[in-house]
Amino acid sequence: MNLEALPNEILLVLFSCFNGFDLLQAFYNLNSRFNQLLYENVYDYQFRFSSISKIKFDWICRQHLPSLANRVTYLELYEVQTSPGQNQLFFSYFPSINHFIRLQTLKVSSIESSEMFITIVNALPYLSHLTYLQLDVSPSLKNNEIDFNIVLNNIWNLPQLLFCHLHMYNFVYNENNDINYSFTKQSTSIRHLELTGFCRKYSDIDIFFNQTPNLKHCNISVYDFQQEDYAPSFSLPKLSELRLQTFATAGLTTLFSFLKRLSNLRRLNIKLYSHIIDGHQWEDFIRKYLPKLTNFVFHMDNKFNLHGNMPLSLDQLFMSFRTPFWIDEHKWYVRCIKQGHHIEVYTLSSIVSNYRCYIPDVWFSTDSQDSLENYCNSVGLINCDRFFTRTLPSTLCLSNVDILITKLPLSDQFQSIIPHLNQLSYLRLLLDDETSLFDVQTLLDCTPKLYTFVIEQKKPLSLNRLLFTCSNPSIHTFRLEKYQYEFHNEECLQLAQSPLGQQCHFLNINVKFRQDIVILVEHMPNLQGLHAHVQESQDNNELIQWLQYQLPKTCYVAPPIQHLNDSIRIWIQ
């Protein structure tokens, strides 16, 4: 069928099925009619800048977005290791996003500076059509440069906002980062709220709840500092689903006082650190205060001292979850596992993937269909230094290992209980003087889905030449930042021309001189993102300017950020 024969109405329906970039790449400049439709009749452009090449990103931002900004309804900036500095580059093209006036969805990950965060927040009053907002702040942002009450007032003042996701990954763990919340705007539109890093205590949650009276779904983390006088003041009759993660440094009284106010909850997902609540306590509480609860998922863990400060024995704890309330009424099945002095209790429905790096000493389950073999089949992480600290039954079989941390050669015990590594996507290899190329290559040959290869050595050694010869066609990410060696000159060229250097999309490396970065970029044809720590002492601003002059004009050199060891970051293609 000839597309040009279709009426405009059909073409516009067809156009609505495309991401903004794919739409423009496929139809722009085919003919004047299509160009007119794209620029005058399409009002629903959606741009998801995830896994996009640097060249394509520049093409959209330079040639099209300035004219189409008021027609964009969905904008997602998703910076990954193969697109370092994407957010900073976007805001260099668009110092303000005020003119994206039809935006309904805005998602920005890896917000690295207070300036970028403030730019986004200051634009919010102009984005009155927003229904979905997600802001993920990286650990490099300085909290003391931000007035969070202005931030929250601007967000809570959005008239159509339904989904609000705010994540501050560097805030919750710092006891000195107290915020005195005094934002005054109340949102009657927000129905879904996610907060990470904003609440250090339960009284902080009260403030957010009081300003969001129509909340239905909430996902929140709280550091849970002791509040002996805590008395909940909120009322949320419409809240039906809660996901709560608490580090539980306070007693359980505060937690129960908080949950008592949520009598209409139907779904509760809770993760408790440093506390174990037995089945009888949960049963009594749910019967009295959460009568509408139909779905309950929890994960609790704690470490007990050598003298055993557990209020119940492990057998008693396990039996408390075997009552008719758990087994018959709700079918909420529970596992209880112990390794050393560490105890975990969790519902089976809470298991997505198991990244515990041990086989438990003691294992119980209230589900008669569950077994230790099921547990082993879900083990996704193996750290050999921790995992093989004791003799394990040879009958165990771990067939879904996704992450492996090891040194070579592999032990006989490893090979007896791990039949294959067909699912392995991440390998961290600890090198020493005894590591042989044969052992490395033999391991790589067993990993058909390996994506990330990390090489470490604990102390400076001479350069191991196996880096230049080992191969695996599925590896896209090669990380050498913890390899205690600075590559330079000929070594960089050898690495770039090696099998891994020729195929990898992302490289993290230590180099001696700034010229070494140029060598890597020029000789690695598939490289998209590079993080490089330069040993040569120099001013970072001067280094960035020098690299921007020396490298191809298509490259973008992003400023270093502290939590990435001040590495220079380059988005290449």
Side-chain angles (χ1 to χ4, degrees):
M1 175 181 288
N2 186 353
L3 282 177
E4 296 182 9
L6 295 174
N8 288 351
E9 292 79 9
I10 300 298
L11 286 173
L12 290 173
V13 172
L14 175 66
F15 288 175
S16 68
C17 300
F18 287 81
N19 176 291
F21 169 76
D22 295 330
L23 176 62
L24 291 167
Q25 187 179 44
F27 295 100
Y28 182 72
N29 263 353
L30 289 183
N31 57 49
S32 59
R33 177 191 171 208
F34 281 7
N35 285 358
Q36 184 176 4
L37 285 173
L38 291 171
Y39 266 72
E40 296 182 11
N41 296 86
V42 177
Y43 289 94
D44 186 23
Y45 278 98
Q46 301 187 25
F47 290 100
R48 296 172 174 85
F49 292 118
S50 56
S51 302
I52 188 172
S53 73
K54 169 70 166 47
I55 294 173
K56 293 175 181 178
F57 183 83
D58 287 337
W59 180 69
I60 288 292
C61 291
R62 287 174 178 166
Q63 184 165 339
H64 294 290
L65 263 187
S67 301
L68 299 175
N70 64 349
R71 298 169 180 270
V72 177
T73 60
Y74 186 107
L75 178 60
E76 180 177 0
L77 299 173
Y78 191 74
E79 185 172 314
V80 295
Q81 60 186 14
T82 52
S83 59
Q86 181 193 95
N87 292 349
Q88 290 169 315
L89 184 57
F90 179 87
F91 285 102
S92 72
Y93 286 130
F94 303 98
S96 171
I97 56 173
N98 297 3
H99 44 296
F100 288 79
I101 56 174
R102 283 196 173 87
L103 265 187
Q104 296 174 19
T105 296
L106 175 61
K107 299 181 180 182
V108 187
S109 71
S110 302
I111 301 173
E112 297 171 353
S113 68
S114 55
E115 293 81 6
M116 187 187 300
F117 191 53
I118 292 169
T119 295
I120 296 169
V121 170
N122 287 343
L124 293 179
Y126 301 90
L127 309 180
S128 59
H129 295 285
L130 272 184
T131 60
Y132 193 113
L133 177 65
Q134 179 175 326
L135 303 177
D136 296 346
V137 177
S138 79
S140 60
L141 186 140
K142 297 177 181 178
N143 299 317
N144 58 7
E145 297 178 359
I146 296 172
D147 186 332
F148 283 97
N149 289 307
I150 293 177
V151 171
L152 297 170
N153 274 329
N154 279 6
I155 295 173
W156 260 247
N157 202 36
L158 290 166
Q160 298 185 48
L161 191 64
L162 294 172
F163 297 83
C164 179
H165 297 186
L166 304 175
H167 304 289
M168 289 278 292
Y169 294 110
N170 62 334
F171 178 77
V172 71
Y173 303 104
N174 190 339
E175 290 191 29
N176 298 318
N177 274 343
D178 230 343
I179 295 178
N180 294 315
Y181 290 114
S182 59
F183 69 106
T184 57
K185 297 296 182 180
Q186 187 176 82
S187 172
T188 57
S189 64
I190 295 177
R191 299 293 190 272
H192 303 256
L193 177 64
E194 282 194 17
L195 290 175
T196 301
F198 281 83
C199 300
R200 291 181 59 247
K201 47 190 183 292
Y202 281 97
S203 57
D204 291 339
I205 302 180
D206 278 30
I207 296 171
F208 283 94
F209 280 4
N210 283 324
Q211 300 305 108
T212 323
N214 292 323
L215 197 60
K216 290 184 176 181
H217 308 274
C218 184
N219 185 344
I220 199 163
S221 64
V222 58
Y223 203 70
D224 189 14
F225 288 99
Q226 183 67 48
Q227 288 182 279
E228 296 179 359
D229 57 346
Y230 172 68
S233 61
F234 63 86
S235 176
L236 283 179
K238 296 180 181 179
L239 188 67
S240 61
E241 181 173 354
L242 174 67
R243 296 174 65 94
L244 177 66
Q245 177 175 279
T246 173
F247 294 88
T249 58
L252 293 175
T253 303
T254 305
L255 171 64
F256 285 140
S257 296
F258 172 77
L259 291 176
K260 282 178 184 179
R261 304 283 293 190
L262 302 173
S263 58
N264 288 320
L265 276 185
R266 296 184 181 277
R267 303 174 68 89
L268 175 61
N269 186 320
I270 188 166
K271 186 160 188 176
L272 290 177
Y273 296 93
S274 305
H275 277 301
I276 300 289
I277 302 173
D278 69 59
H280 298 312
Q281 288 176 286
W282 275 124
E283 179 178 342
D284 291 343
F285 183 84
I286 291 170
R287 288 193 186 281
K288 289 179 182 177
Y289 301 106
L290 302 176
K292 298 180 181 180
L293 196 66
T294 58
N295 186 287
F296 184 32
V297 175
F298 64 76
H299 187 137
M300 305 179 289
D301 66 35
N302 202 355
K303 289 185 178 180
F304 297 94
N305 62 35
L306 292 172
H307 302 291
N309 58 351
M310 274 188 67
L312 294 176
S313 70
L314 203 59
D315 286 342
Q316 290 174 316
L317 179 63
F318 171 65
M319 292 304 295
S320 70
F321 290 99
R322 288 184 58 84
T323 65
F325 171 84
W326 294 94
I327 305 298
D328 302 324
E329 289 182 43
H330 294 287
K331 293 181 170 55
W332 294 336
Y333 300 113
V334 173
R335 269 187 193 161
C336 178
I337 61 176
K338 176 180 176 291
Q339 168 66 15
H341 304 290
H342 183 214
I343 292 178
E344 292 182 77
V345 183
Y346 53 91
T347 49
L348 290 177
S349 55
S350 67
I351 301 172
V352 177
S353 58
N354 180 359
Y355 286 112
R356 299 166 190 83
C357 53
Y358 58 80
I359 297 296
D361 300 327
V362 180
W363 177 93
F364 293 117
S365 176
T366 62
D367 183 358
S368 60
Q369 302 301 311
D370 194 19
S371 65
L372 182 58
E373 286 71 24
N374 289 343
Y375 175 95
C376 293
N377 283 334
S378 69
V379 170
L381 166 65
I382 298 290
N383 184 333
C384 289
D385 280 348
R386 300 178 185 176
F387 198 87
F388 296 105
T389 56
R390 60 191 174 93
T391 302
L392 299 173
S394 59
T395 55
L396 293 181
C397 180
L398 283 65
S399 57
N400 289 298
V401 177
D402 178 47
I403 297 173
L404 176 62
I405 303 169
T406 188
K407 57 185 178 182
L408 296 175
L410 298 173
S411 67
D412 292 339
Q413 190 168 202
F414 179 100
Q415 299 180 63
S416 69
I417 67 173
I418 302 178
H420 61 77
L421 293 171
N422 292 343
Q423 304 303 316
L424 195 72
S425 66
Y426 178 101
L427 171 62
R428 192 161 91 207
L429 192 57
L430 310 177
L431 294 189
D432 56 34
D433 286 328
E434 306 300 320
T435 306
S436 73
L437 172 61
F438 176 80
D439 288 335
V440 175
Q441 190 59 56
T442 300
L443 178 58
L444 293 179
D445 289 342
C446 299
T447 57
K449 295 183 179 179
L450 186 62
Y451 188 89
T452 299
F453 187 26
V454 182
I455 295 183
E456 294 185 12
Q457 61 183 23
K458 299 299 184 183
K459 58 182 180 179
L461 301 170
S462 60
L463 179 63
N464 196 320
R465 297 288 164 176
L466 66 82
L467 298 177
F468 303 143
T469 53
C470 59
S471 63
N472 178 306
S474 66
I475 293 174
H476 282 188
T477 294
F478 195 21
R479 296 181 55 178
L480 297 165
E481 71 268 26
K482 293 186 178 180
Y483 185 75
Q484 300 295 318
Y485 189 85
E486 287 80 32
F487 291 76
H488 63 94
N489 297 334
E490 187 65 27
E491 295 165 349
C492 289
L493 183 60
Q494 286 182 282
L495 181 65
Q497 295 176 339
S498 70
L500 293 182
Q502 288 290 290
Q503 73 190 46
C504 86
H505 293 181
F506 174 77
L507 175 67
N508 196 330
I509 191 172
N510 303 311
V511 298
K512 270 192 177 178
F513 307 111
R514 59 188 183 179
Q515 183 62 39
D516 299 326
I517 295 176
V518 179
I519 294 172
L520 293 169
V521 172
E522 287 181 346
H523 293 88
M524 298 179 70
N526 291 299
L527 195 62
Q528 298 174 14
L530 172 66
H531 288 189
H533 182 77
V534 184
Q535 183 192 40
E536 181 182 34
S537 178
Q538 55 200 308
D539 176 72
N540 277 329
N541 291 328
E542 190 273 333
L543 174 59
I544 290 171
Q545 290 177 4
W546 184 87
L547 286 170
Q548 204 71 68
Y549 180 77
Q550 295 290 328
L551 295 173
K553 300 305 179 186
T554 54
C555 294
Y556 175 69
V557 185
I561 51 181
Q562 187 175 6
H563 78 279
L564 292 177
N565 196 30
D566 290 329
S567 294
I568 290 294
R569 300 171 300 140
I570 304 174
W571 191 6
I572 296 165
Q573 60 178 333

